[in-house]
Amino acid sequence: MTTEQKIALITGASRGIGAAIAKTLGNAGFFIIGTATTQEGADKISARLSEDDIQGKGAVLNVNASDSVVNLVKSIQEEHGTIEVLINNAGITKDNIILRMSDEQWDDVVDTNLNAIFRLTKACIRGMFKKRWGRIVNISSVVGSMGNVGQSNYAATKAGMEGFSRSLAKEVGSRNITINCVAPGFIATDMTDQLDEEVRKSYEDHIALGRLGKPDEIAAVVAFLCGDAGAYITGETIHVNGGLYMQ
């Protein structure tokens, strides 16, 4: 990592992959701003960072509201400085087969998973331009490449995210800004902990390594892309799925 402390904004940092990314980047020396949808969630992020002796704090953000995005970015810039690292991790699922999928289910997933990364990237990238340095990592999914029954809305947003990232990488590369995606497979989180053992086993049977991934294993790849070692990688999607994509 570079020795100068840089500010990293991580959306959806209250648990799972987002929390792991916040901890890993914080331990690498970044100043962390982790977002949650509620004040309670933001307070938990602040407490966790403090417990881990990481500089940073939690913040409330509605990624679906342009005003919320603009106001948060402005407040960070005024209080701490330019955001140089943006991790677009926040996302939702509202699964259903296409014959039963409502307009609301489609629109909500597209707005949160895809439109939000446009809002956040646009709000943050001007500062990166001025610094002539920036790292944006978008958390995609193996589903964006493989597809999955009942997840046409979710898969569309992740495939769209990857196309967005490749196009933007070409736009901003001359300013020393890299744009990449990390696409997890099945990762052990609070959600997967609730799975029936038989369902969990069926997932593992389709993974070459025979197990679910760990949030820290995703965070490690994100940290690599944000550091000096990943400086010559841009416009890429790095799959971290234990071989699920090969099956």
Side-chain angles (χ1 to χ4, degrees):
M1 296 295 176
T2 52
T3 54
E4 177 192 356
Q5 187 177 48
K6 298 184 184 302
I7 298 169
L9 174 61
I10 305 164
T11 65
S14 60
R15 62 180 182 172
I17 291 172
I21 293 171
K23 183 175 182 178
T24 300
L25 289 185
N27 286 334
F30 289 89
F31 185 93
I32 304 299
I33 307 290
T35 76
T37 56
T38 66
Q39 188 61 54
E40 180 183 5
D43 291 342
K44 287 181 179 179
I45 294 170
S46 295
R48 187 182 299 114
L49 293 175
S50 179
E51 289 170 4
D52 292 331
D53 199 25
I54 292 171
Q55 289 188 301
K57 64 180 184 180
V60 178
L61 176 65
N62 178 3
V63 298
N64 294 335
S66 295
D67 288 349
S68 181
V69 170
V70 170
N71 290 338
L72 176 62
V73 171
K74 183 179 179 181
S75 69
I76 293 170
Q77 290 172 338
E78 291 175 349
E79 187 174 352
H80 303 288
T82 301
I83 298 166
E84 292 146 299
V85 173
L86 170 64
I87 312 297
N88 285 306
N89 171 68
I92 62 171
T93 59
K94 290 194 175 182
D95 300 348
N96 218 333
I97 61 172
I98 195 68
L99 290 175
R100 296 177 183 168
M101 185 174 291
S102 67
D103 288 355
E104 181 182 10
Q105 287 174 318
W106 177 272
D107 292 341
D108 286 351
V109 172
V110 170
D111 202 29
T112 301
N113 295 5
L114 185 58
N115 294 344
I117 71 167
F118 162 73
R119 298 184 190 102
L120 281 149
T121 301
K122 186 175 181 180
C124 292
I125 207 161
R126 188 179 299 276
M128 297 179 188
F129 262 69
K130 292 179 180 179
K131 284 268 189 175
R132 298 190 70 87
W133 195 97
R135 300 285 184 265
I136 298 177
V137 180
N138 298 316
I139 307 303
S140 183
S141 169
V142 68
V143 172
S145 297
M146 292 179 63
N148 199 27
V149 174
Q151 289 193 309
S152 60
N153 50 1
Y154 183 76
T157 63
K158 297 306 183 179
M161 172 188 285
E162 294 175 16
F164 171 87
S165 300
R166 286 190 291 271
S167 297
L168 191 61
K170 292 185 176 182
E171 284 186 29
V172 303
S174 63
R175 297 299 182 111
N176 197 30
I177 301 169
T178 65
I179 318 289
N180 291 289
C181 292
V182 173
F186 291 125
I187 306 300
T189 63
D190 294 345
M191 292 176 65
T192 56
D193 287 344
Q194 306 303 315
L195 290 175
D196 179 87
E197 186 62 31
E198 187 175 333
V199 174
R200 184 186 180 97
K201 181 64 166 57
S202 70
Y203 286 167
E204 293 173 347
D205 288 344
H206 288 87
I207 300 170
L209 292 182
R211 65 172 178 85
L212 302 187
K214 303 172 185 176
D216 289 348
E217 292 172 320
I218 306 301
V221 178
V222 173
F224 169 75
L225 292 171
C226 292
D228 291 342
Y232 202 55
I233 300 173
T234 194
E236 293 295 331
T237 296
I238 300 180
H239 286 272
V240 188
N241 57 55
L244 172 66
Y245 191 28
M246 299 188 298
Q247 302 299 94

Coordinates of all heavy atoms in Angstrom, one line a residue, residues 113-158:
N113 N -28.6 -1.7 -7.1 CA -27.4 -2.4 -7.5 C -26.7 -1.8 -8.6 O -25.5 -2.0 -8.8 CB -27.7 -3.9 -7.9 CG -28.2 -4.7 -6.7 OD1 -28.5 -4.2 -5.6 ND2 -28.4 -6.0 -6.9
L114 N -27.4 -1.1 -9.5 CA -26.8 -0.6 -10.7 C -26.8 1.0 -10.8 O -25.8 1.6 -10.9 CB -27.4 -1.1 -11.9 CG -26.8 -0.8 -13.3 CD1 -25.3 -1.2 -13.3 CD2 -27.6 -1.4 -14.4
N115 N -28.0 1.6 -10.6 CA -28.1 3.0 -10.7 C -27.3 3.7 -9.6 O -26.7 4.7 -9.8 CB -29.5 3.5 -10.6 CG -30.4 3.0 -11.7 OD1 -29.9 2.7 -12.8 ND2 -31.7 3.1 -11.6
A116 N -27.2 3.0 -8.4 CA -26.4 3.6 -7.3 C -25.0 3.7 -7.6 O -24.3 4.7 -7.1 CB -26.7 2.7 -6.0
I117 N -24.4 2.8 -8.3 CA -22.9 2.9 -8.6 C -22.7 4.0 -9.5 O -21.6 4.7 -9.5 CB -22.3 1.6 -9.1 CG1 -22.8 1.2 -10.5 CG2 -22.6 0.4 -8.1 CD1 -21.9 0.1 -11.1
F118 N -23.6 4.4 -10.4 CA -23.5 5.6 -11.2 C -23.5 6.8 -10.3 O -22.6 7.7 -10.5 CB -24.6 5.6 -12.2 CG -24.8 7.0 -12.9 CD1 -23.9 7.5 -13.8 CD2 -25.9 7.8 -12.5 CE1 -24.1 8.8 -14.4 CE2 -26.1 9.0 -13.0 CZ -25.2 9.5 -14.0
R119 N -24.4 6.9 -9.4 CA -24.5 8.1 -8.5 C -23.2 8.3 -7.7 O -22.7 9.4 -7.6 CB -25.7 7.9 -7.6 CG -27.1 7.9 -8.3 CD -28.2 7.8 -7.2 NE -29.5 7.5 -7.8 CZ -30.0 6.3 -7.8 NH1 -29.5 5.3 -7.1 NH2 -31.2 6.1 -8.4
L120 N -22.8 7.2 -7.1 CA -21.6 7.3 -6.2 C -20.3 7.5 -7.0 O -19.5 8.3 -6.6 CB -21.5 6.0 -5.4 CG -22.4 5.9 -4.2 CD1 -22.9 4.5 -3.9 CD2 -21.8 6.5 -3.0
T121 N -20.2 6.9 -8.1 CA -19.0 7.1 -8.9 C -18.9 8.5 -9.4 O -17.9 9.2 -9.4 CB -19.0 6.1 -10.1 OG1 -19.0 4.8 -9.6 CG2 -17.7 6.3 -11.0
K122 N -20.0 9.0 -9.9 CA -20.0 10.4 -10.4 C -19.7 11.4 -9.3 O -19.0 12.4 -9.5 CB -21.4 10.7 -11.0 CG -21.5 12.1 -11.7 CD -22.8 12.3 -12.4 CE -22.9 13.6 -13.1 NZ -24.2 13.9 -13.8
A123 N -20.2 11.1 -8.1 CA -20.0 12.1 -7.0 C -18.6 12.0 -6.5 O -18.0 13.1 -6.1 CB -20.9 11.7 -5.8
C124 N -17.9 10.9 -6.6 CA -16.5 10.7 -6.1 C -15.4 11.0 -7.1 O -14.3 11.4 -6.7 CB -16.4 9.3 -5.5 SG -17.3 9.0 -4.1
I125 N -15.7 10.8 -8.4 CA -14.6 10.7 -9.3 C -14.0 12.1 -9.7 O -12.8 12.2 -10.1 CB -15.1 10.0 -10.6 CG1 -13.9 9.3 -11.3 CG2 -15.8 11.0 -11.6 CD1 -14.2 8.2 -12.3
R126 N -14.7 13.2 -9.5 CA -14.2 14.5 -9.7 C -12.9 14.7 -8.8 O -11.9 15.3 -9.3 CB -15.2 15.6 -9.5 CG -14.7 17.0 -9.9 CD -15.8 18.0 -9.7 NE -17.0 17.7 -10.5 CZ -17.2 18.0 -11.8 NH1 -16.2 18.7 -12.4 NH2 -18.3 17.7 -12.4
G127 N -13.1 14.3 -7.5 CA -11.9 14.5 -6.6 C -10.7 13.6 -7.0 O -9.6 14.0 -6.9
M128 N -11.0 12.4 -7.5 CA -10.0 11.5 -8.0 C -9.3 12.2 -9.2 O -8.0 12.0 -9.4 CB -10.5 10.2 -8.4 CG -11.1 9.4 -7.2 SD -11.8 7.8 -7.7 CE -12.6 7.3 -6.2
F129 N -10.0 12.8 -10.1 CA -9.4 13.5 -11.2 C -8.4 14.5 -10.8 O -7.3 14.6 -11.3 CB -10.5 14.1 -12.1 CG -11.0 13.3 -13.3 CD1 -11.7 12.1 -13.1 CD2 -10.7 13.8 -14.5 CE1 -12.1 11.4 -14.2 CE2 -11.1 13.0 -15.7 CZ -11.8 11.8 -15.5
K130 N -8.8 15.3 -9.8 CA -8.0 16.4 -9.3 C -6.7 15.8 -8.7 O -5.6 16.4 -8.8 CB -8.7 17.3 -8.3 CG -9.8 18.1 -9.0 CD -10.6 18.9 -7.9 CE -11.7 19.8 -8.6 NZ -12.4 20.6 -7.6
K131 N -6.9 14.7 -8.0 CA -5.7 14.1 -7.3 C -4.8 13.3 -8.3 O -3.7 12.9 -8.0 CB -6.2 13.1 -6.3 CG -6.7 13.7 -5.0 CD -5.6 13.8 -4.0 CE -6.1 14.2 -2.6 NZ -5.0 14.2 -1.6
R132 N -5.4 13.0 -9.5 CA -4.8 12.1 -10.5 C -4.4 10.8 -9.9 O -3.4 10.2 -10.1 CB -3.6 12.8 -11.1 CG -3.9 14.1 -11.8 CD -2.7 14.6 -12.6 NE -2.4 13.8 -13.8 CZ -3.0 13.9 -15.0 NH1 -3.9 14.8 -15.2 NH2 -2.7 13.1 -15.9
W133 N -5.3 10.3 -9.0 CA -5.2 9.0 -8.4 C -6.5 8.5 -7.9 O -7.2 9.3 -7.3 CB -4.2 9.0 -7.3 CG -3.7 7.6 -6.8 CD1 -2.5 7.0 -7.2 CD2 -4.4 6.7 -5.9 NE1 -2.4 5.8 -6.6 CE2 -3.5 5.6 -5.8 CE3 -5.5 6.7 -5.2 CZ2 -3.9 4.5 -5.0 CZ3 -5.9 5.6 -4.4 CH2 -5.1 4.5 -4.3
G134 N -6.9 7.3 -8.2 CA -8.1 6.8 -7.7 C -8.3 5.3 -7.9 O -7.7 4.7 -8.8
R135 N -9.1 4.6 -7.0 CA -9.3 3.2 -7.1 C -10.8 3.0 -6.9 O -11.4 3.4 -5.9 CB -8.6 2.4 -6.1 CG -7.1 2.5 -6.2 CD -6.5 1.7 -7.4 NE -5.1 1.8 -7.4 CZ -4.4 2.6 -8.1 NH1 -5.0 3.6 -8.9 NH2 -3.0 2.6 -8.1
I136 N -11.5 2.4 -7.9 CA -12.9 2.1 -7.7 C -13.1 0.6 -7.9 O -12.6 0.0 -8.9 CB -13.8 2.8 -8.7 CG1 -13.8 4.4 -8.4 CG2 -15.3 2.4 -8.5 CD1 -14.6 5.2 -9.4
V137 N -13.6 -0.1 -6.9 CA -13.9 -1.5 -7.0 C -15.4 -1.8 -6.8 O -15.9 -1.4 -5.7 CB -13.0 -2.3 -6.0 CG1 -13.3 -3.8 -6.1 CG2 -11.6 -2.0 -6.1
N138 N -16.0 -2.4 -7.8 CA -17.4 -2.7 -7.7 C -17.6 -4.2 -7.4 O -17.0 -5.0 -8.1 CB -18.1 -2.3 -9.0 CG -18.0 -0.9 -9.3 OD1 -18.2 0.0 -8.5 ND2 -17.6 -0.5 -10.6
I139 N -18.4 -4.5 -6.4 CA -18.6 -5.9 -6.0 C -19.7 -6.5 -6.8 O -20.9 -6.1 -6.6 CB -18.9 -6.0 -4.5 CG1 -17.8 -5.3 -3.7 CG2 -19.0 -7.5 -4.1 CD1 -16.4 -5.8 -3.9
S140 N -19.3 -7.3 -7.7 CA -20.3 -7.9 -8.7 C -20.7 -9.3 -8.1 O -20.8 -9.5 -6.9 CB -19.6 -8.1 -10.0 OG -20.5 -8.6 -11.0
S141 N -20.9 -10.3 -8.9 CA -21.3 -11.6 -8.5 C -21.1 -12.6 -9.6 O -21.2 -12.2 -10.8 CB -22.8 -11.6 -8.1 OG -23.2 -13.0 -7.9
V142 N -20.8 -13.8 -9.3 CA -20.6 -14.9 -10.3 C -22.0 -15.0 -11.1 O -22.0 -15.4 -12.2 CB -20.2 -16.2 -9.6 CG1 -21.4 -16.8 -8.8 CG2 -19.8 -17.2 -10.7
V143 N -23.1 -14.6 -10.5 CA -24.4 -14.7 -11.1 C -24.4 -13.8 -12.3 O -25.2 -14.1 -13.3 CB -25.5 -14.4 -10.1 CG1 -26.9 -14.3 -10.8 CG2 -25.6 -15.5 -9.0
G144 N -23.7 -12.7 -12.3 CA -23.6 -11.8 -13.5 C -23.1 -12.5 -14.7 O -23.4 -12.1 -15.8
S145 N -22.3 -13.5 -14.5 CA -21.7 -14.2 -15.6 C -22.4 -15.6 -15.9 O -22.5 -15.9 -17.1 CB -20.2 -14.6 -15.3 OG -19.4 -13.4 -15.2
M146 N -22.8 -16.2 -14.9 CA -23.5 -17.5 -15.0 C -25.0 -17.5 -15.3 O -25.6 -18.3 -15.9 CB -23.2 -18.4 -13.8 CG -21.8 -18.8 -13.6 SD -21.6 -19.8 -12.1 CE -22.6 -21.2 -12.5
G147 N -25.6 -16.4 -14.7 CA -27.1 -16.4 -14.6 C -27.5 -17.3 -13.5 O -26.8 -18.2 -13.0
N148 N -28.8 -17.2 -13.1 CA -29.3 -18.0 -12.1 C -30.9 -18.0 -12.1 O -31.4 -16.9 -12.3 CB -28.9 -17.6 -10.7 CG -29.0 -18.7 -9.6 OD1 -29.0 -19.9 -10.0 ND2 -29.2 -18.3 -8.4
V149 N -31.5 -19.1 -12.0 CA -33.0 -19.1 -12.1 C -33.6 -18.2 -11.0 O -33.2 -18.3 -9.8 CB -33.5 -20.5 -11.9 CG1 -35.0 -20.6 -11.8 CG2 -33.0 -21.4 -13.0
G150 N -34.5 -17.4 -11.4 CA -35.2 -16.5 -10.4 C -34.4 -15.2 -10.1 O -34.9 -14.4 -9.3
Q151 N -33.3 -15.0 -10.8 CA -32.5 -13.8 -10.4 C -32.2 -13.0 -11.7 O -31.1 -12.4 -11.8 CB -31.2 -14.2 -9.7 CG -31.4 -14.7 -8.3 CD -30.1 -14.8 -7.5 OE1 -29.1 -15.3 -8.0 NE2 -30.1 -14.2 -6.4
S152 N -33.1 -12.9 -12.6 CA -32.8 -12.2 -13.8 C -32.6 -10.7 -13.5 O -31.7 -10.1 -14.2 CB -34.0 -12.3 -14.8 OG -35.2 -11.8 -14.3
N153 N -33.3 -10.2 -12.5 CA -33.0 -8.8 -12.2 C -31.6 -8.6 -11.6 O -30.9 -7.7 -12.0 CB -34.1 -8.3 -11.2 CG -34.4 -9.2 -10.0 OD1 -33.7 -10.2 -9.8 ND2 -35.3 -8.8 -9.2
Y154 N -31.3 -9.4 -10.6 CA -30.0 -9.4 -10.0 C -28.8 -9.6 -11.0 O -27.8 -8.9 -11.0 CB -29.9 -10.4 -8.9 CG -28.7 -10.4 -8.0 CD1 -28.4 -9.4 -7.1 CD2 -27.7 -11.4 -8.2 CE1 -27.3 -9.4 -6.3 CE2 -26.5 -11.4 -7.4 CZ -26.3 -10.4 -6.5 OH -25.2 -10.4 -5.7
A155 N -29.0 -10.6 -11.8 CA -27.9 -10.9 -12.8 C -27.7 -9.8 -13.8 O -26.6 -9.5 -14.2 CB -28.3 -12.2 -13.5
A156 N -28.8 -9.2 -14.2 CA -28.8 -8.1 -15.1 C -28.0 -6.9 -14.5 O -27.2 -6.2 -15.2 CB -30.2 -7.6 -15.5
T157 N -28.2 -6.6 -13.2 CA -27.5 -5.5 -12.6 C -26.0 -5.8 -12.5 O -25.1 -4.9 -12.6 CB -28.0 -5.2 -11.2 OG1 -27.8 -6.3 -10.3 CG2 -29.5 -4.8 -11.2
K158 N -25.6 -7.1 -12.2 CA -24.2 -7.4 -12.1 C -23.5 -7.4 -13.4 O -22.3 -7.0 -13.5 CB -24.0 -8.7 -11.3 CG -24.6 -8.7 -9.9 CD -24.0 -7.6 -9.1 CE -24.4 -7.6 -7.6 NZ -23.8 -6.5 -6.8

